[in-house]
Amino acid sequence: MSDHPEASVTPVEAYEPPYYVAVFTTVRAQEQSGYSETNARMEELVKDIPGYLGMDHAQTPGGLGITVGYFRDADSLTEWRTNAEHRAAQKRGQTEWYQSYTLHVAKVERSHGFTRP
Amino acid sequence: MSDHPEASVTPVEAYEPPYYVAVFTTVRAQEQSGYSETNARMEELVKDIPGYLGMDHAQTPGGLGITVGYFRDADSLTEWRTNAEHRAAQKRGQTEWYQSYTLHVAKVERSHGFTRP
């Protein structure tokens, strides 16, 4: 459960729309060799993408992972998707780490935050 | 960790865009009395909304929850948001169960699914 050591209980805030979310849901395969290192590297690498706003991640005990990446615009998401090192990680994900995954890329139209006074 | 007994390791599929995602991230408060029952009721109730496509949920041990609801269009999301019983649950969430939360409502432009052969 600690594959994402940087995850905290402070979720990404509600930015002023429009911005983009990439919802990435995963079911892990048995083979996880190298996953943690690559994942940590990706979490660092994405921070260099202009327009990257943040990321939330959680996982069920049953093995369903949800990662939501937040980006200022479609261009910043494209830059991340086509990053060479990220591409290599995506390929390893398909052949080694994931049994299945789903990606939903969406433009935020409305957002709202609540914090108890 | 078992507040969502219906959660499985089969995430919601990649539908044909456009459709909507509602990304709801939460940090729980200490008071959780009645949460599980209400949450279970909401998971049933939302299934009656025309255009409801499904829901994914996961939670970190640290208390960050991520729920992603999938809807066919903005109208179905509005119907869910304004449902009277759901409204009452939202109010209890603010006054009892959540320390903070963030909602991002977004229109899916691109989606992709991968399943290992």
Side-chain angles (χ1 to χ4, degrees):
Chain A
M1 303 295 291
S2 56
D3 285 322
H4 297 259
E6 276 130 298
S8 77
V9 290
T10 305
V12 173
E13 66 186 284
Y15 287 91
E16 186 72 27
Y19 54 101
Y20 276 75
V21 290
V23 177
F24 183 55
T25 55
T26 63
V27 180
R28 299 277 195 92
Q30 287 195 317
E31 174 59 50
Q32 291 299 306
S33 173
Y35 172 80
S36 291
E37 296 81 351
T38 301
N39 187 63
R41 171 66 183 150
M42 291 304 114
E43 287 188 348
E44 283 305 307
L45 195 63
V46 71
K47 292 176 183 167
D48 293 337
I49 302 290
Y52 171 70
L53 298 174
M55 187 181 299
D56 290 319
H57 175 83
Q59 191 161 337
T60 68
L64 169 66
I66 306 177
T67 299
V68 185
Y70 303 81
F71 295 85
R72 178 43 70 193
D73 52 37
D75 286 348
S76 52
L77 240 171
T78 299
E79 185 168 340
W80 175 233
R81 186 175 75 245
T82 57
N83 174 282
E85 201 172 335
H86 186 206
R87 283 273 202 199
Q90 289 167 39
K91 284 198 178 141
R92 284 195 71 186
Q94 291 192 344
T95 56
E96 295 178 53
W97 303 316
Y98 297 126
Q99 181 58 43
S100 65
Y101 65 71
T102 310
L103 177 68
H104 314 262
V105 173
K107 185 179 188 175
V108 178
E109 298 182 349
R110 187 162 59 83
S111 67
H112 174 68
F114 165 81
T115 300
R116 189 176 297 203
Chain B
M1 302 297 289
S2 57
D3 286 320
H4 297 258
E6 275 129 299
S8 77
V9 291
T10 306
V12 173
E13 67 185 284
Y15 287 90
E16 186 72 28
Y19 55 100
Y20 276 76
V21 290
V23 177
F24 183 54
T25 56
T26 62
V27 180
R28 299 277 195 91
Q30 286 194 319
E31 174 59 50
Q32 292 299 304
S33 172
Y35 172 81
S36 291
E37 296 81 353
T38 301
N39 186 63
R41 171 65 183 149
M42 292 303 114
E43 287 187 347
E44 283 305 308
L45 195 61
V46 70
K47 292 176 184 167
D48 293 336
I49 302 290
Y52 170 72
L53 299 174
M55 188 181 299
D56 290 320
H57 175 82
Q59 190 160 338
T60 68
L64 170 66
I66 305 177
T67 300
V68 184
Y70 303 81
F71 294 85
R72 177 44 69 194
D73 52 37
D75 284 349
S76 52
L77 240 170
T78 298
E79 185 168 339
W80 175 234
R81 187 176 72 245
T82 57
N83 174 282
E85 202 172 335
H86 185 207
R87 284 273 201 200
Q90 290 167 37
K91 284 196 179 142
R92 286 195 70 185
Q94 290 192 345
T95 55
E96 296 177 52
W97 304 316
Y98 297 126
Q99 181 59 43
S100 66
Y101 64 71
T102 310
L103 176 69
H104 314 262
V105 173
K107 186 179 188 174
V108 177
E109 298 182 348
R110 187 163 61 81
S111 66
H112 173 69
F114 165 81
T115 301
R116 191 176 296 204

